[in-house]
Amino acid sequence: ATMPPLLSAIANAGRHGVLVKSAVVMERLGQIDAVALDKTGTLTEGTPRVTDVRPLTGAGPTGLTGLTGPTGLTGLTGLTGATEPAGLTEDGVLSLAAAAEHPSEHPLARAIVAAARERGLVLPDVRDFSSAPGVGVTAVVDGRTVAVGAPARLLADAAEPAVAMAVGELEDGGRTAVLVQCDGVPVGVLGIADRLRPDAAATVAALTTLTGTAPALLTGDNPRAAARLAAEAGITDVRAGLLPQDKVAAVREREAAGRKVLVVGDGVNDAPALAAAHTGLAMGRAGSDLALETADAVIVRDELATVPAVVALSRAARRLVV
Ligand code: ADP
Ligand code: MG
């Protein structure tokens, strides 16, 4: 028997490397007229690397002096060495961060753990792990509360000059700056970089042609890293520093203006936007379980170029149905 057009389109999408969950989804993919892309893991390859480890020496009243005393980081002396009385060494910062990130599935967490492994660091035990999507993680490492995440979100008050300077330098270089705090005190900043996917610019161009609108970038990362990557991909509509609910608001804004938005994302932080969008598409390889479950379709072949391909397939099938 001949397959109905939407079903053969699903089979076709599968051959292109996209798992479309139903015929209804296959049909909706062809209706979209705006696209919102996540950054980390979607527009980028999703295998970021730690490029910088900057211990903070902790000048000032909230510095590290309190931590180096008898009740301080003495448990970590094996990691810190005796040469850094004012703070942790690079390895000390990385060990704490990697221990706290170990249970996380976030691409930045994997990068931090991989960097610690490359240096041959043994990770201290961790308990009471928790993560806040779009913010970072906290955990108790060797009895100390360690927080790792977005500097602007971890530091309640105005950032200390030493932190602000390290963060500013890294972000100016297009890095994602991640702050490491121990018992509420900033002990280091990590610089992390991820590469644009090789097919990102071509995909942005193809989606612009298909939908008549240039895709937008929605990211939780800092505006400077976001702007740099967006420029490389040919995206001008950039919204940075977004929490998961901000991504939802950005999608709803466009839908309220009459758009049918396709959201492409990979993270736990993208799940609410994937659910709110007309159609949600998750990146399969780097994707979190929550994103894969929430999305209407999953990109199994790890290529962004499958996005315009599947939209075009849906449109062709709908022409046959109508
Ligand atoms: P994106 O929207 O680009 O995929 P996320 O919303 O997942 O990014 O993360 C936004 C920001 O929150 C990151 O740039 C980082 O600063 C911080 N963050 C989130 N999760 C983590 C984590 N596990 N470790 C460190 N930082 C994190
Ligand atoms: Mg992401």
Side-chain angles (χ1 to χ4, degrees):
T2 13
M3 250 197 270
L6 283 169
L7 289 188
S8 30
I10 289 179
N12 244 324
R15 279 191 282 276
H16 279 80
V18 182
L19 173 70
V20 177
K21 293 186 184 174
S22 73
V24 172
V25 171
M26 195 67 233
E27 185 167 28
R28 288 168 83 87
L29 276 165
Q31 298 164 347
I32 60 109
D33 57 8
V35 180
L37 302 165
D38 164 56
K39 184 176 77 71
T40 315
T42 300
L43 207 54
T44 68
E45 289 181 342
T47 45
R49 291 183 49 83
V50 174
T51 54
D52 306 79
V53 181
R54 303 237 183 130
L56 295 166
T57 45
T62 53
L64 289 167
T65 36
L67 292 173
T68 51
T71 57
L73 291 172
T74 44
L76 294 169
T77 38
L79 304 169
T80 60
T83 52
E84 290 262 346
L88 296 175
T89 60
E90 287 191 12
D91 285 358
V93 170
L94 200 52
S95 298
L96 278 185
E101 291 276 20
H102 194 250
S104 169
E105 62 178 6
H106 197 279
L108 294 180
R110 283 185 224 154
I112 292 167
V113 173
R117 292 247 161 82
E118 267 169 38
R119 292 191 187 206
L121 302 177
V122 177
L123 302 188
D125 282 340
V126 55
R127 60 183 172 84
D128 297 341
F129 169 83
S130 74
S131 71
V135 180
V137 303
T138 61
V140 175
V141 180
D142 271 355
R144 293 174 180 84
T145 301
V146 176
V148 188
R153 301 209 182 277
L154 288 192
L155 279 184
D157 354 311
E160 284 177 44
V163 179
M165 191 187 290
V167 168
E169 278 174 21
L170 293 170
E171 291 185 352
D172 282 342
R175 308 279 193 259
T176 298
V178 169
L179 181 64
V180 185
Q181 275 185 349
C182 185
D183 288 333
V185 177
V187 293
V189 181
L190 308 178
I192 300 181
D194 198 357
R195 274 195 305 266
L196 193 69
R197 286 178 183 272
D199 55 354
T203 298
V204 167
L207 287 172
T208 306
T209 307
L210 265 179
T211 64
T213 328
L217 178 62
L218 306 181
T219 179
D221 202 355
N222 75 80
R224 282 175 281 201
R228 176 179 282 226
L229 215 94
E232 277 182 61
I235 295 179
T236 50
D237 186 355
V238 183
R239 305 272 295 268
L242 303 184
L243 288 173
Q245 63 268 28
D246 302 326
K247 292 196 181 196
V248 171
V251 169
R252 293 240 162 91
E253 223 172 78
R254 285 165 172 78
E255 302 220 322
R259 295 292 182 160
K260 292 191 169 65
V261 182
L262 171 66
V263 168
V264 189
D266 70 315
V268 171
N269 63 315
D270 297 317
L274 288 168
H278 182 75
T279 316
L281 198 49
M283 305 301 295
R285 186 184 61 84
S288 64
D289 292 347
L290 188 63
L292 303 194
E293 280 163 25
T294 309
D296 302 302
V298 175
I299 296 175
V300 179
R301 181 179 304 167
D302 196 35
E303 289 172 18
L304 212 49
T306 54
V307 179
V310 78
V311 171
L313 277 177
S314 173
R315 290 196 183 170
R318 292 176 73 236
R319 279 194 292 274
L320 295 178
V321 172
V322 176

